[in-house]
Amino acid sequence: MGLPADHAALLRAVAEALLQARGRIDGVEAMVSDLIRQTAPEDRSAALTQAQSLDVLAQEIEALSGVLQRLGQGEAPDQALLAVPLANLSVRLGAGVGLNPASAPASDDVELF
């Protein structure tokens, strides 16, 4: 049984909207980088650590977009999750479809700036 065309189209549209949101995060990251450079040296490390959560968010949004895109192309949920490069996210999402964490992909995991 295939995915209804309107469901597939909606999944692909949401995936695209997520990628656009991810692109806007790049602008916020640039602004935060500028602010961190202006932060007092003794506070810079803590500010950088907090700012890295933006990078994690961007990577998660991109991964979620990929899952929705694959679902919109008719892939089975377990197969769509196998392509998620973030192990923690893959395991969390996989719990909803019965994906065994042991079969989660070898992860590139989060790459921080």
Side-chain angles (χ1 to χ4, degrees), residues 30-82:
M31 178 189 65
V32 168
S33 270
D34 290 342
L35 292 172
I36 288 173
R37 281 192 285 281
Q38 297 172 22
T39 302
E42 62 273 10
D43 297 330
R44 201 167 290 148
S45 178
L48 184 59
T49 299
Q50 290 176 333
Q52 287 175 334
S53 66
L54 280 174
D55 197 45
V56 173
L57 175 63
Q59 290 177 56
E60 287 181 347
I61 286 173
E62 192 167 338
L64 291 170
S65 174
V67 169
L68 291 175
Q69 186 71 284
R70 287 186 289 284
L71 291 172
Q73 293 169 350
E75 269 190 36
D78 60 338
Q79 291 302 305
L81 290 177
L82 288 176

